[in-house]
Amino acid sequence: MPRSGHAPARGTSNGVSGSHGREERSGARVRKAAGRTALTAGQRREVMRNRLIESRLTPNAISLTGFALNVVAAVLVWEQLFFLGGVAFIVGSTMDTLDGRYSRMSGKGTPFGAFLDSTLDRVEEGIVLAAVAGYFALRGDRVAAAAVVVAVLASLMVSYTRARAEALGVECKVGLATRPVRVVIISIGLVFAKGAGIGHFELLAPAVYVLAGLSLFTVGQRIWHVRRELIAAA
């Protein structure tokens, strides 16, 4: 009798404890799942941002990837595969805009990284336009080829005037043909070039003319802006 009297009590106690433990574990899983589903879009972006920062990805790697894509774009343009070249140019140029943001966001930026980014930006734009000039030269379109040369020189001058102005202590981001605008103009020209496969368009030459004109105008804008700022500061 004593044995039968104690056995149910021990069994009941263990049963309650086991059931209570299972309920706690189940509740924890539910709360954890609820916590996951309760994350807002902003919180999910924050988690992804933190994971990206903690990764081995560096701003220089992004810059070099963008450079490689622009080299591919130049090769495709030389082969007259304009649509694919335009896509590669767009993606590569997008990488160029991301490396600076990632550098500031992650705190992984270095002075050399900033120098490399600026240098590769100029090289990338020049190498793609050099392929465009080669295409026009092969077609015997000397006017368009000359316009590409003007566009390249003016684009370099747009960047140079800003660098020299900032060396003098003058902020100089004014002007129409900034880097993003130039990328858009070149991209439109490539994607809608003759034979690109999107309609019966021939916008490559007009895009080059617009790029050359706007770049020259922007150089003039920046020279005038710097002169005015220096006179005002004197």
Side-chain angles (χ1 to χ4, degrees):
M1 290 297 294
R3 181 179 301 173
S4 62
H6 287 288
R10 185 170 59 250
T12 302
S13 176
N14 290 341
V16 172
S17 177
S19 174
H20 183 66
R22 286 194 296 273
E23 288 177 359
E24 284 185 346
R25 290 192 295 272
S26 177
R29 286 195 296 270
V30 171
R31 287 192 298 270
K32 188 176 181 180
R36 285 197 300 267
T37 57
L39 288 176
T40 64
Q43 290 172 330
R44 285 194 294 270
R45 286 195 297 270
E46 184 69 18
V47 170
M48 294 178 63
R49 173 181 176 274
N50 292 336
R51 289 180 179 176
L52 188 62
I53 292 174
E54 293 168 1
S55 69
R56 296 183 179 181
L57 182 65
T58 63
N60 290 350
I62 299 176
S63 299
L64 291 172
T65 302
F67 173 72
L69 287 171
N70 276 277
V71 171
V72 171
V75 173
L76 291 171
V77 170
W78 181 259
E79 295 296 328
Q80 299 185 24
L81 299 172
F82 296 112
F83 180 78
L84 293 177
V87 172
F89 177 71
I90 292 169
V91 177
S93 299
T94 301
M95 299 289 285
D96 292 334
T97 63
L98 292 177
D99 55 4
R101 293 181 183 179
Y102 180 69
S103 175
R104 293 187 294 271
M105 176 186 73
S106 64
K108 297 179 181 179
T110 62
F112 174 75
F115 167 79
L116 180 66
D117 178 30
S118 298
T119 302
L120 291 180
D121 284 350
R122 306 291 82 75
V123 174
E124 291 161 1
E125 191 173 345
I127 196 171
V128 173
L129 287 175
V132 174
Y135 162 71
F136 286 131
L138 289 174
R139 289 182 54 189
D141 193 341
R142 292 182 294 179
V143 175
V148 175
V149 175
V150 173
V152 172
L153 292 175
S155 297
L156 291 174
M157 285 302 300
V158 169
S159 301
Y160 178 77
T161 50
R162 176 180 174 181
R164 286 298 301 155
E166 291 179 348
L168 295 172
V170 178
E171 186 177 10
C172 187
K173 297 181 180 180
V174 301
L176 296 176
T178 57
R179 166 75 171 163
V181 172
R182 298 197 304 271
V183 168
V184 170
I185 294 172
I186 297 171
S187 300
I188 291 174
L190 292 174
V191 172
F192 295 100
K194 185 177 181 180
I198 301 182
H200 299 285
F201 298 102
E202 175 53 282
L203 297 184
L204 187 54
V208 168
Y209 298 143
V210 171
L211 179 64
L214 285 182
S215 297
L216 286 173
F217 183 73
T218 301
V219 172
Q221 283 183 298
R222 293 192 169 182
I223 292 173
W224 178 258
H225 170 75
V226 172
R227 178 180 182 274
R228 184 177 59 187
E229 291 295 316
L230 291 176
I231 291 175

